[in-house]
Amino acid sequence: MLLRHTTKEVVERSALTINPAKTCQPIGAMYASLGIHSCLPHSHGSQGCYAYHRSTLTRHYKEPVIAATSAFTEGASVFGGQANLLQAIDNMFTVYRPDVIAVHTTCLSETIGDDIPQIIGKATADGKIPDGKYVFHANTPSYVGSHVTGFANMTKAMVDYFAESSSGNRNRVLNIIPGYVEPSDMEEIRRIATEMGIGTIMFPDTSRVLNTPLTGKYRMYPEGGVTVEELKKSGSSLGTVALGQLASGPAARALDSKCKVPCEILGLPIGLHATDIFIDTLHRTAGVNVPESLTFERGQMLDIMSDMHQYFYGKKVAIAGDPDQVLAMTKFLVSLDMYPVHIVTGTPAGKKFEKALHEAVKEIPHEVKIRVPGDMFLLHQWIKNEPVDLLIGNSYMKYIAKDEDIPLVRFGFPILDRIGHSYFPSVGYKGGMRLLEKILDAIMDRQDRNASDINMELVM
Ligand code: SF4
């Protein structure tokens, strides 16, 4: 029993988090930066932060994650990190030759109060930024929000620094801000838009960056990622479709106010209904028809849902994760007649989000416990008091799964102990089918395991 100290009795805590269902801002910022072509993320802080952020991303994607650091020592901690960052910019452009450097701050540089725009200005004035190359930044103090906030801040910074207003007619292109999803999800989102005949600028775009093939040749800057030229043109697009209020909302709104590009902010397209909404939005915004190929995939997903409904019906689920993912997954489970009864997000997401979550579960004939933000210790306590049939969450949920002997479907970030998430999507109808398969496998494997010899079913 790894979590044997988790008590069944719930005592309210006000100043203590145990097993947080989140991680720190710069991780999300680093991930978003990698979605720009030929970009070197730069962590402005100590080596410890940078090593942690890189290793978490490397362990999740099973790919070498590149980044650099200002490598603060005691001196920089007292006098500020300007000298370190100026030297780092010089070194990076000389040695690693990226097109773009994306600087994010850390707790330490935020506490010192380093003024990054001023330092970038000095680097420009000192001629440390070669022609045609760029340095931009996002503030990512980790004592606020989580990795989702960091991702949102870095994505918004792409708009703040690069998007240029249209001087004439708008391009017949849609911006898509995919949210904090996997490279496979970004690829699937673009495939759906391409299938509909829509030209897109997607940012960030980590597909073909963090899910690359093994070729025997190391490429520091893989072929994927949105280019700075595309980011500049995002201000001239017809509109923006942003997926995920928390991760994508700030960038979409910034683009609307900076360049007057109208935006629609949707939930993540996870599940049948959410994918319908996404495709309908593309259809309306771009003025194109939905092709037969997508209708076909929809029908396949619906077929699985209806064929296997008896296995989903009434199953109680506990979910932990990031707000955009948790809300989308909750709605999906409710549409399958499952009962998400314990729900926790680690990231503070506000009253509007909490209201949306309550709205999503209001028809469930069962009491539902929701905590925003909460932690996995509390989720475990709830499970001890009201057991569930299934857990959905990241790798850290495996300890609860083991102690309570409940099947776990890995979903969200980080997944450190399984593969697949980088290559197979969870979004769209195809992704929905994959999620259905994972949920069914977990439920039916457990049914097989628990069946007596006489009740063991061959055909299910
Ligand atoms: S929480 Fe702050 S100090 Fe800790 S790793 Fe993240 S940025 Fe660094």
Side-chain angles (χ1 to χ4, degrees), residues 304-327:
I304 301 175
M305 287 167 68
S306 111
D307 283 348
M308 308 309 271
H309 178 256
Q310 67 271 29
Y311 295 101
F312 298 120
Y313 180 77
K315 292 284 189 304
K316 289 188 286 177
V317 189
I319 314 174
D322 301 336
D324 293 334
Q325 272 79 357
V326 162
L327 182 59

Side-chain angles (χ1 to χ4, degrees), residues 24-26 46 48-50 52-53 105-108 140 142-143:
C24 80
Q25 274 214 48
S46 66
C49 300
Y50 141 94
Y52 164 53
H53 306 149
T105 55
T106 58
C107 298
L108 180 53
T140 52
S142 207
Y143 29 78

Side-chain angles (χ1 to χ4, degrees), residues 290-340:
V290 179
E292 185 52 35
S293 55
L294 291 179
T295 312
F296 183 84
E297 287 170 21
R298 183 183 193 277
Q300 287 179 318
M301 183 178 175
L302 199 55
D303 190 46
I304 301 175
M305 287 167 68
S306 111
D307 283 348
M308 308 309 271
H309 178 256
Q310 67 271 29
Y311 295 101
F312 298 120
Y313 180 77
K315 292 284 189 304
K316 289 188 286 177
V317 189
I319 314 174
D322 301 336
D324 293 334
Q325 272 79 357
V326 162
L327 182 59
M329 177 55 83
T330 300
K331 290 180 178 175
F332 183 33
L333 296 179
V334 171
S335 77
L336 297 170
D337 281 332
M338 298 179 85
Y339 301 162

Side-chain angles (χ1 to χ4, degrees), residues 397-416:
M397 290 269 268
K398 77 194 269 182
Y399 299 106
I400 302 176
K402 188 169 164 61
D403 279 8
E404 304 300 329
D405 193 23
I406 302 169
L408 164 65
V409 169
R410 284 164 178 78
F411 173 74
F413 180 89
I415 296 175
L416 309 170

Side-chain angles (χ1 to χ4, degrees), residues 45 110 114 131 176 185 235 254 272 279 311 314 336 363 365 369 383 399 443:
E110 284 290 335
D114 274 348
D131 281 350
I176 298 187
D185 293 321
L272 192 87
I279 289 177
Y311 295 101
L336 297 170
E363 305 280 324
K369 287 195 167 70
I383 292 166
Y399 299 106
I443 292 172

Side-chain angles (χ1 to χ4, degrees), residues 68-140:
T69 172
S70 293
F72 279 24
T73 54
E74 293 86 341
S77 307
V78 175
F79 300 114
Q82 171 165 309
N84 293 45
L85 185 51
L86 289 173
Q87 181 70 58
I89 289 172
D90 205 14
N91 290 349
M92 282 185 276
F93 280 127
T94 309
V95 181
Y96 299 113
R97 302 178 185 282
D99 288 346
V100 192
I101 294 171
V103 180
H104 59 261
T105 55
T106 58
C107 298
L108 180 53
S109 53
E110 284 290 335
T111 305
I112 298 166
D114 274 348
D115 182 349
I116 309 296
Q118 177 270 322
I119 300 175
I120 294 175
K122 178 152 177 50
T124 312
D126 292 353
K128 289 184 188 301
I129 304 176
D131 281 350
K133 308 264 176 174
Y134 305 90
V135 180
F136 78 111
H137 96 289
N139 290 93
T140 52

